[in-house]
């Protein structure tokens, strides 16, 4: 989860987020190099007292400042297109989770199992345990097995919402009357937090998302004996 001192991206929890982090670093390196180059040129213009009185136009310079940005954009576009393809791909999911956004809570349905659905509300501050996280913990966490391809179906019952887990690299709109889907794979155990990323009303800030990644055998036991709080 993000903390006060964390100014960069969260640690990745899925191969998809790793690729997003690599692309972010790749693009930021290019942007920094361009900024340094442009800053140097602007500084040299400020402090340069020489003037070329006979320069009306320079075809060579125009060709250079047309080709160099085009090459730079290619270096950004190719990884971006590859990543876009990976984001849209849903390969043989082993488990399906359906998420429904409400004002202002989330409800979950495990479509592969009968009679397994529950609502997930934020725990109020006055009921929060000392080990809990204020405005982030919920009464019913969403359990998912690690190292398993998970497909998530997202919709909303009333207004627009957005189901987001930054460490998974997942952000998908919950639209009333429409079913959106994406997939991800969690490659390590842990508890991962997210929040609704669409301004959906007065309590928009009070509908967090909590994913708990556990080994497959523990997930099967949880499925077998689960009772919502």
């Amino acid at each position: 989860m993000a903390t006060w001192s964390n100014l960069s991206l969260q640690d990745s929890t899925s191969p998809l987020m790793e690729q997003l982090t690599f692309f972010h670093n790749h693009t930021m390196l290019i942007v920094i190099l361009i900024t340094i180059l442009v800053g140097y040129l602007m500084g040299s213009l400020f402090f340069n007292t020489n003037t070329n009185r006979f320069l009306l136009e320079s075809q060579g310079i125009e060709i250079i400042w047309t080709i160099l940005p085009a090459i730079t954009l290619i270096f950004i576009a190719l990884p971006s297109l590859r990543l876009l393809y990976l984001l849209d791909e849903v390969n043989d999911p082993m488990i399906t989770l359906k998420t429904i956004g409400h004002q202002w809570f989330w409800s979950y349905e495990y479509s592969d199992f009968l009679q397994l659905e529950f609502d997930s509300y934020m725990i109020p501050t006055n009921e929060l345990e000392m080990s809990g996280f204020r405005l982030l913990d919920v009464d019913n966490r969403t359990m998912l097995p690690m190292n398993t391809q998970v497909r998530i179906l997202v919709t909303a019952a009333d207004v627009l919402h957005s189901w987001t887990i930054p460490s998974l690299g997942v952000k998908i709109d919950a639209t009333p009357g429409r079913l959106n889907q994406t997939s991800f794979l969690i490659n390590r155990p842990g508890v991962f937090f997210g929040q609704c990323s669409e301004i959906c009303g007065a309590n928009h800030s009070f509908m967090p998302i909590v994913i708990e990644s556990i080994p497959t055998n523990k997930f099967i036991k949880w499925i077998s004996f689960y009772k919502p709080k």
Side-chain angles (χ1 to χ4, degrees):
M1 61 178 289
T3 58
W4 293 108
S5 60
N6 188 8
L7 299 179
S8 60
L9 298 173
Q10 295 184 25
D11 293 337
S12 63
T13 309
S14 66
L16 179 61
M17 186 57 188
E18 289 180 4
Q19 295 299 317
L20 287 168
T21 304
F22 293 153
F23 177 69
H24 169 268
N25 296 339
H26 168 78
T27 307
M28 285 304 298
L29 178 62
I30 293 176
V31 170
I32 290 171
L33 292 175
I34 292 173
T35 304
I36 292 173
L37 176 62
V38 173
Y40 170 77
L41 294 175
M42 291 179 64
S44 64
L45 289 175
F46 279 122
F47 298 105
N48 189 359
T49 57
N50 298 324
T51 303
N52 189 343
R53 295 183 294 114
F54 303 101
L55 180 63
L56 297 178
E57 64 177 33
S58 176
Q59 296 294 334
I61 294 177
E62 290 183 0
I63 291 173
I64 290 173
W65 71 37
T66 301
I67 292 178
L68 283 182
I71 295 174
T72 304
L73 288 175
I74 290 173
F75 274 99
I76 296 175
L78 292 180
S80 175
L81 292 173
R82 172 180 170 274
L83 195 54
L84 190 62
Y85 175 77
L86 292 175
L87 285 170
D88 288 339
E89 196 172 13
V90 180
N91 286 329
D92 300 324
M94 296 184 66
I95 183 173
T96 299
L97 174 69
K98 185 177 180 182
T99 303
I100 304 171
H102 304 268
Q103 289 183 308
W104 287 274
F105 65 95
W106 297 96
S107 61
Y108 297 94
E109 300 176 8
Y110 288 78
S111 305
D112 303 311
F113 307 95
L114 298 176
Q115 303 293 327
L116 185 52
E117 55 185 71
F118 56 86
D119 297 331
S120 182
Y121 288 87
M122 185 193 75
I123 300 177
T125 303
N126 58 347
E127 299 177 12
L128 195 63
E129 298 179 357
M130 290 296 293
S131 59
F133 294 98
R134 179 177 173 270
L135 302 182
L136 285 177
D137 257 323
V138 295
D139 54 358
N140 289 308
R141 291 178 174 177
T142 306
M143 301 290 185
L144 289 174
M146 58 181 288
N147 294 325
T148 301
Q149 192 73 27
V150 179
R151 174 176 60 183
I152 182 166
L153 307 175
V154 182
T155 188
D158 33 51
V159 298
L160 289 173
H161 300 278
S162 185
W163 196 86
T164 307
I165 300 287
S167 61
L168 285 175
V170 175
K171 182 178 184 295
I172 182 168
D173 289 340
T175 308
R178 178 171 178 173
L179 205 61
N180 292 329
Q181 77 167 358
T182 189
S183 69
F184 55 85
L185 183 144
I186 306 175
N187 56 15
R188 61 186 174 95
V191 181
F192 312 110
F193 297 90
Q195 292 174 296
C196 177
S197 298
E198 189 77 39
I199 298 177
C200 55
N203 290 332
H204 155 70
S205 301
F206 304 105
M207 49 183 302
I209 304 158
V210 181
I211 298 291
E212 186 168 345
S213 173
I214 56 178
T216 305
N217 57 343
K218 292 187 177 181
F219 175 76
I220 294 172
K221 291 180 181 179
W222 177 81
I223 286 290
S224 303
F225 300 104
Y226 172 75
K227 291 182 181 179
K229 296 180 181 178

